[in-house]
Amino acid sequence: MKAVVMAGGEGTRLRPMTSNLPKPLLPVGDRPVMEHVLQLLKSHGIHDVVVTVQFLAALIENHFGDGTELGVRLAYAHEDRPLGTAGSVRNARRALGEGTFLVVSGDALTDIDLTRAVQFHREKGALVTVCLTRVADPLEFGITVLDGEGRVERFLEKPTWGQVFTDTVNTGIYIMEPAVLDHVREGESVDWSKDVFPRLLAEGRPVYGYVADGYWEDIGSHDSYAAAQADLLDGKVRAELAGFDLAPGIRVGEGAEVHPEAVLTAPVYIGPHSRIEAKAEIGPHTVVGRGSVVGARAVVERSTLHENVYVGPGALLTGSVLGRYSAVMAGARLEPSVVVGDHSIIGRNAIVACGVRIYPSKTIDEAARVNSSVVWENRAQASLFGPRGVGGILNVDVTPEIAVRLSAAYASTLRKGDTVVLGSDHSRGARALAQCIASALQTGAVDVRDLRSTALPVLRQQSLLTASNGVYVRTAPGEPNSVEILFVDSTGADLSESAQRSLDRVYARQDYRRAFPGEIGSLIHPARTLETYAEALAGTGGDTLPAAGLKVVVDAGHGAAAHVLPALLGRLGVEAL
């Protein structure tokens, strides 16, 4: 008998863990979840397996090869595009032959008795047998209704509570006769339970449901991934962990070093060639991956460390997941449900708030406080302000989301009803961010005088004339892909360091003020700002210029100065080309 292991999904709900690692390769305990599936198939006498692959297929093939090391024979069916659960199996038809075959997901942890399921299928003479299991909360799964003989009467995908009339859910494990593939057209993107099975029921085909005993957990979310790790350590699923028992419930892999003064509280798993240093505390339901290091006095509990992770001395991790080759430096603190992607670095004494996702290859600066996920930015800094305001690569370091949060924090440092003068240079990116800033200021009960595209000196003058604070967005000088957000005070000068620190603190706490509906700030576009600026500037010593007989050639570089210079030079009596 052959089996199909479906391993082509992207696992979008599990990002950033699956940003550059396919879901079947996510480690559960000391090995990828798909390896647990292959071991289960082997234990039931199924050695010929076809693996359907699409997303990051090369990584799966490179890891498992032809299956020799696991004692199985693997072939691969490639999809150029996602074909759905039924389409992917139809794509593997040639490799399956003409006998009964089994379909199983490559990203679910289970020890269901497959032999008994196959026996049930043959006894019933079924075209398809769907393996079912009972769960307490069926809302996230497709539920299946059976008659007294075990024949399927109805499928319902992702029901609401009002539609829940059974607790038996579809595990995605199927025993099938090859004739079922005649009901799936080649190259068509279709799903078994949504498309094919309802058609089979309508035609009166023998589709049965086998309610299986045993463990099953679909690893489709961060919560279910954590649950699978805990259940494996608790022994709720029949699956092997390599190594030996250092103490009851404490499993240690080959070559691992555990300092005598380290404190380990069962159940935990310490992977091969990892190191736990003096006075480190490894709490229950923690998996320390192969080659990882937990420094002295660090505390790690209810967390999963993938391979080659470094946790510095005195760091604190609670309910977190750290991707491959990531590092948490000394004194850093990760609050519950934090997920850190591969190759990321959390700086010394940094704090990452509950539920934050740090995507791969990101850097969190020393002593930074991170309250929101770091997806596109290259880094999260301890201080927002650089030498020229808040800046970075557009849509990487400075995103619309950051501009909104920053402006909401800025509005919270002002009084309700205050006015902010807003402007930007001519670039599309700066203007788009300025629109985000205006909306955030208004919803923080601040009025906005939007100068639109203008020069920075004009905005400074308007701030001075109206005794208002100001915000200016521009393309960073000499860096066309970067932008800067500059803040000025009511005198037109840059914000003082103390004001910058105050804004930093509000931004870090995410303690934003929200306006009531009647308090939303106004948005106006003041007139004659350029003329006002030109008149003021022409009146400061401009009388001496005409006598000089100046003739100038102007190249404004398509910038905001092109709006200012004509009015200014005309008043000064300068001939301009």
Side-chain angles (χ1 to χ4, degrees), residues 290-350:
R290 172 187 298 270
S292 295
V293 175
V294 179
R297 301 179 307 284
V299 177
V300 182
E301 56 184 20
R302 295 185 291 106
S303 297
T304 298
L305 280 56
H306 293 180
E307 63 179 296
N308 296 301
V309 169
Y310 174 77
V311 178
L316 172 62
L317 282 65
T318 304
S320 301
V321 178
L322 301 185
R324 301 170 300 166
Y325 299 95
S326 59
V328 178
M329 309 310 287
R333 188 170 86 229
L334 273 57
E335 296 178 355
S337 300
V338 168
V339 181
V340 178
D342 299 347
H343 300 278
S344 290
I345 300 174
I346 311 299
R348 292 172 61 92
N349 300 316

Side-chain angles (χ1 to χ4, degrees), residues 204-326:
R205 305 284 181 171
V207 179
Y208 281 81
Y210 172 71
V211 182
D213 296 323
Y215 179 89
W216 176 82
E217 181 69 66
D218 173 43
I219 301 176
S221 67
H222 292 283
D223 289 342
S224 62
Y225 180 66
Q229 299 280 15
D231 291 342
L232 179 64
L233 295 178
D234 285 334
K236 294 181 180 180
V237 55
R238 292 189 298 274
E240 294 183 2
L241 284 170
F244 60 93
D245 288 333
L246 186 66
I250 298 176
R251 192 83 169 168
V252 177
E254 179 183 357
E257 300 176 18
V258 179
H259 194 279
E261 294 183 13
V263 178
L264 277 59
T265 305
V268 299
Y269 177 74
I270 309 299
H273 309 293
S274 55
R275 187 170 79 247
I276 312 299
E277 296 183 349
K279 297 184 180 179
E281 298 181 22
I282 308 298
H285 297 128
T286 292
V287 174
V288 178
R290 172 187 298 270
S292 295
V293 175
V294 179
R297 301 179 307 284
V299 177
V300 182
E301 56 184 20
R302 295 185 291 106
S303 297
T304 298
L305 280 56
H306 293 180
E307 63 179 296
N308 296 301
V309 169
Y310 174 77
V311 178
L316 172 62
L317 282 65
T318 304
S320 301
V321 178
L322 301 185
R324 301 170 300 166
Y325 299 95
S326 59

Side-chain angles (χ1 to χ4, degrees), residues 179-202:
V180 75
L181 297 179
D182 295 335
H183 297 267
V184 184
R185 284 186 290 184
E186 186 174 3
E188 186 178 24
S189 179
V190 290
D191 183 81
W192 287 120
S193 55
K194 291 180 182 177
D195 305 309
V196 180
F197 292 164
R199 290 204 302 264
L200 296 178
L201 293 180

Side-chain angles (χ1 to χ4, degrees), residues 346-367:
I346 311 299
R348 292 172 61 92
N349 300 316
I351 299 174
V352 183
C354 180
V356 164
R357 309 291 188 239
I358 308 294
Y359 274 62
S361 303
K362 300 294 187 287
T363 299
I364 307 302
D365 280 357
E366 181 176 337

Side-chain angles (χ1 to χ4, degrees), residues 31 70 73 86 115 170 190 201-202 348 384 429 434 449 495 501 532 542:
R31 62 192 67 184
L70 298 177
R73 292 178 290 275
T115 301
N170 185 352
V190 290
L201 293 180
R348 292 172 61 92
L384 286 169
R449 292 172 54 88
L495 278 190
R501 287 194 296 270
T532 301

